[in-house]
């Protein structure tokens, strides 16, 4: 048996954990630079507040309904996510953290131990609520795809009250008939459009198809999805978490950048973020893409992109920052009001299978990089930085509605007056 535990509107729910005064109020969370709405709590959803709408367009509607607006508090969300995942881990013998608010569970040695999966799901929900104050939905299924579908039912379909189970043909039909085909895990918009042209509009209709025919018409991934919907497990954690082929870090600025030193600090910061992600998956960077641009709405739109090729693939933050400084002069132009920049690793190699160079020495220094990552992991992001990142936060993203970082900043620890 598999399960998927998924938080209900995680960002918005996280904002309510340490602020009881807004728990019964509609809450929305904005994206970077307070651009668009990225999370809507159930109360706000019932008011008809749409997701992915620019904040300035819906500002008056939010004010009319007394909606609480928050900027994305990533430090708080990461900490609460870790706490939630630690609670979930106690209830299975194999856990895979799929995203910041989703975790798959596989029960390998629980056969005959759990008599009532429905009751067990509510036990998981109560434990998470008690220890983190986060509402979650729990879906059980005989495959990971069916567990994902059951989780959809637990959170969005009437009558399930947070827990749903797909363990036989009848329960599968009951839930899959109510799911649109584009809501099936692994079926994107393009594939769902083609499926609808063949009169396959629900998840149940998809589950009735011949897997081999689906493979010929679409791909092996679609074939596996159909098999999973039929109750045949054919996906493993290794299939899900394959190393990324490209890694990017990009962001628009809270205020425009007009000098080269501030632009270098921003690009260097993005380069260290990319380097950390690359090290996390044991990869090395062969080619680095660096870009900066003004706003596309500016009269004289400017964008420049440069690619730097390393003689020997590396994951060393210092080497990557040096590459940024070497091509910065070809990107920066005086007089341009830069609105956005980013860094991307576009050619990655496996550290395990790296081809060494007879005439080039390896300066990656993994011991130093491990030390850097360990200190920042233990004492908080940004405890140790490169000198080129600077100390100015003038280019950092705009977060006018930021809530306190209750669990990661000493100044923001909740205070109780008795």
């Amino acid at each position: 048996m598999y399960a998927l535990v998924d938080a209900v509107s995680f960002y918005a729910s996280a904002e309510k954990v340490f602020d009881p005064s807004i728990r019964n109020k509609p809450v929305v969370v904005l994206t970077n630079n307070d651009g668009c709405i990225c999370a809507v709590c159930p109360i706000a959803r019932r008011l008809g507040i749409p997701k992915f709408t620019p904040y300035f367009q819906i500002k008056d509607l939010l004010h009319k309904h007394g909606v609480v607006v928050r900027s994305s508090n990533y430090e708080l969300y990461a900490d609460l996510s870790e706490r939630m995942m630690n609670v979930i881990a106690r209830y299975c013998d194999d856990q895979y953290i799929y995203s910041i608010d989703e975790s798959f569970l596989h029960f390998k040695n629980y056969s005959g131990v759990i008599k009532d999966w429905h009751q067990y799901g509510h036990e998981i929900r109560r434990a998470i609520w008690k220890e983190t104050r986060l509402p979650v939905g729990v879906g059980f299924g005989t495959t990971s795809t069916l567990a994902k579908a059951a989780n959809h039912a637990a959170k969005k379909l009437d009558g399930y009250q947070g827990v749903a189970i797909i363990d036989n043909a009848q329960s599968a039909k009951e839930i899959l008939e109510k799911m649109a085909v584009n809501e099936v895990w692994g079926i994107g918009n393009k594939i769902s459009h083609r499926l609808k042209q063949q009169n396959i509009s629900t998840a149940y209709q998809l589950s009735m198809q011949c897997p081999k025919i689906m493979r010929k018409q679409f791909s092996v991934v679609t074939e596996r999805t159909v098999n999973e919907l039929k109750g045949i497990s054919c996906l493993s954690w290794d299939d899900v978490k394959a190393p990324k082929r490209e890694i990017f870090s990009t962001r628009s600025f809270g205020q425009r950048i007009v000098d080269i030193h501030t632009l270098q600090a921003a690009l260097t910061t993005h380069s260290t973020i990319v380097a950390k992600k690359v090290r996390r998956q044991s990869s090395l960077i062969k080619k680095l893409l660096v870009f900066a641009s003004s706003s596309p709405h500016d009269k004289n739109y400017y964008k420049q992109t440069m690619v730097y090729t390393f003689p020997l693939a590396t994951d060393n933050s210092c080497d990557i920052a040096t590459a940024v400084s070497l091509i910065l002069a070809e990107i920066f132009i005086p007089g341009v009001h830069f609105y956005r920049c980013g860094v991307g690793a576009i050619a990655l190699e496996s550290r395990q299978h790296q081809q060494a160079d007879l005439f080039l020495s390896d300066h990656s220094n993994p011991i130093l990089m491990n030390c850097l990552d360990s200190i920042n992991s233990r004492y908080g992001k940004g405890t140790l930085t490169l000198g080129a990142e600077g100390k100015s936060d003038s280019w950092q993203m705009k977060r006018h509605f930021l809530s306190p970082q209750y669990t990661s900043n000493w100044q923001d620890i909740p205070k109780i007056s008795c």
Side-chain angles (χ1 to χ4, degrees):
M1 184 68 78
Y2 292 83
L4 176 67
V5 181
D6 182 15
V8 178
S9 189
F10 178 65
Y11 284 7
S13 296
E15 292 292 341
K16 299 185 180 187
V17 171
F18 294 99
D19 190 352
S21 67
I22 66 172
R23 285 185 186 168
N24 296 319
K25 296 181 179 180
V27 175
V28 299
V29 179
L30 306 179
T31 56
N32 294 341
N33 289 313
D34 296 338
C36 298
I37 295 175
C38 65
V40 180
C41 80
I43 301 175
R45 193 178 299 122
R46 288 194 292 270
L47 294 173
I49 306 299
K51 289 178 66 175
F52 310 119
T53 302
Y55 170 66
F56 75 90
Q57 291 183 0
I58 203 170
K59 184 177 180 180
D60 293 337
L61 178 63
L62 297 176
H63 179 73
K64 175 183 176 182
H65 291 291
V67 177
V68 177
V69 180
R70 292 284 186 263
S71 301
S72 292
N73 190 340
Y74 299 116
E75 297 81 2
L76 175 65
Y77 307 153
D79 187 75
L80 286 175
S81 172
E82 183 180 5
R83 297 185 185 199
M84 184 179 81
M85 299 307 171
N86 289 338
V87 176
I88 294 171
R90 302 201 304 258
Y91 290 87
C92 67
D93 47 14
D94 187 15
Q95 178 189 25
Y96 171 63
I97 300 175
Y98 183 62
S99 69
I100 192 171
D101 65 337
E102 292 180 277
S103 179
F104 280 102
L105 290 69
H106 188 199
F107 306 93
K108 295 181 178 179
N109 302 308
Y110 281 67
S111 179
V113 177
I114 300 175
K115 304 298 182 182
D116 188 337
W117 289 104
H118 190 269
Q119 180 180 348
Y120 196 64
H122 281 292
E123 185 179 335
I124 295 174
R125 294 185 74 229
R126 283 193 296 269
I128 296 173
W129 176 257
K130 181 180 179 181
E131 299 185 38
T132 68
R133 279 298 184 266
L134 290 170
V136 301
V138 181
F140 293 97
T142 51
T143 68
S144 54
T145 302
L146 287 176
K148 184 83 170 176
N151 180 273
H152 170 85
K155 293 174 58 180
K156 297 185 178 181
L157 300 183
D158 295 334
Y160 290 97
Q161 298 181 332
V163 177
I165 305 167
I166 298 179
D167 56 357
N168 54 45
Q170 181 180 350
S171 58
K173 181 178 181 181
E174 181 180 340
I175 290 175
L176 297 181
E177 280 186 332
K178 300 175 182 177
M179 283 184 64
V181 69
N182 61 290
E183 294 173 326
V184 176
W185 187 39
I187 301 298
N189 290 331
K190 291 183 179 180
I191 294 179
S192 65
H193 179 70
R194 290 173 58 191
L195 287 169
K196 289 176 181 178
Q197 289 178 335
Q198 300 180 26
N199 295 320
I200 302 172
S201 57
T202 68
Y204 181 70
Q205 290 173 329
L206 179 62
S207 71
M208 292 292 101
Q209 304 305 307
C210 174
K212 291 184 179 179
I213 293 178
M214 289 293 101
R215 178 172 184 166
K216 290 180 180 179
Q217 294 182 346
F218 298 95
S219 67
V220 65
V221 175
T222 307
E223 178 193 26
R224 290 178 178 178
T225 299
V226 173
N227 276 323
E228 289 255 324
L229 290 174
K230 292 179 179 291
I232 304 170
S233 183
C234 53
L235 290 176
S236 66
W237 302 152
D238 292 334
D239 296 327
V240 177
K241 57 180 181 181
K244 295 181 179 180
R245 296 182 180 181
E246 295 183 349
I247 295 177
F248 278 81
S249 176
T250 66
R251 185 168 293 165
S252 53
F253 306 125
Q255 57 186 18
R256 299 296 186 93
I257 287 178
V258 294
D259 68 280
I260 191 170
H261 300 294
T262 307
L263 181 60
Q264 180 178 6
L267 286 170
T268 302
T269 300
H270 285 304
S271 73
T272 58
I273 293 173
V274 169
K276 181 181 177 180
K277 292 180 179 179
V278 166
R279 291 193 292 270
R280 190 180 300 161
Q281 68 172 31
S282 298
S283 296
L284 300 169
I285 303 173
K286 184 62 178 178
K287 290 185 178 181
L288 190 74
L289 181 147
V290 182
F291 80 89
S293 71
S294 60
S295 171
H297 301 292
D298 289 350
K299 185 177 181 179
N300 297 315
Y301 175 62
Y302 169 82
K303 181 178 180 180
Q304 180 64 280
T305 301
M306 302 295 299
V307 175
Y308 182 90
T309 302
F310 292 97
L312 188 65
T314 182
D315 63 1
N316 189 305
S317 296
C318 300
D319 292 342
I320 300 168
T322 299
V324 169
S325 65
L326 290 174
I327 60 179
L328 180 63
E330 300 181 56
I331 295 176
F332 179 81
I333 291 183
V336 174
H337 289 66
F338 289 95
Y339 170 76
R340 186 178 183 86
C341 76
V343 173
I346 58 174
L348 294 174
E349 298 179 1
S350 170
R351 169 170 284 281
Q352 183 180 0
H353 303 104
Q354 182 186 24
Q355 178 65 52
D357 192 304
L358 179 63
F359 302 102
L360 293 174
S361 57
D362 184 3
H363 298 290
S364 60
N365 200 341
I367 296 178
L368 176 62
M369 293 299 103
N370 287 338
C371 179
L372 174 67
D373 292 339
S374 297
I375 291 175
N376 284 331
S377 175
R378 180 173 181 179
Y379 296 104
K381 178 183 176 182
T383 301
L384 284 183
T385 61
L386 300 183
E389 294 184 57
K391 291 296 183 181
S392 173
D393 60 354
S394 60
W395 59 271
Q396 297 286 357
M397 63 179 171
K398 178 173 60 180
R399 294 195 284 182
H400 290 321
F401 309 101
L402 184 64
S403 58
Q405 297 168 7
Y406 298 102
T407 61
S408 58
N409 189 324
W410 285 104
Q411 305 301 320
D412 293 336
I413 292 178
K415 300 174 181 63
I416 301 175
S417 302
C418 301

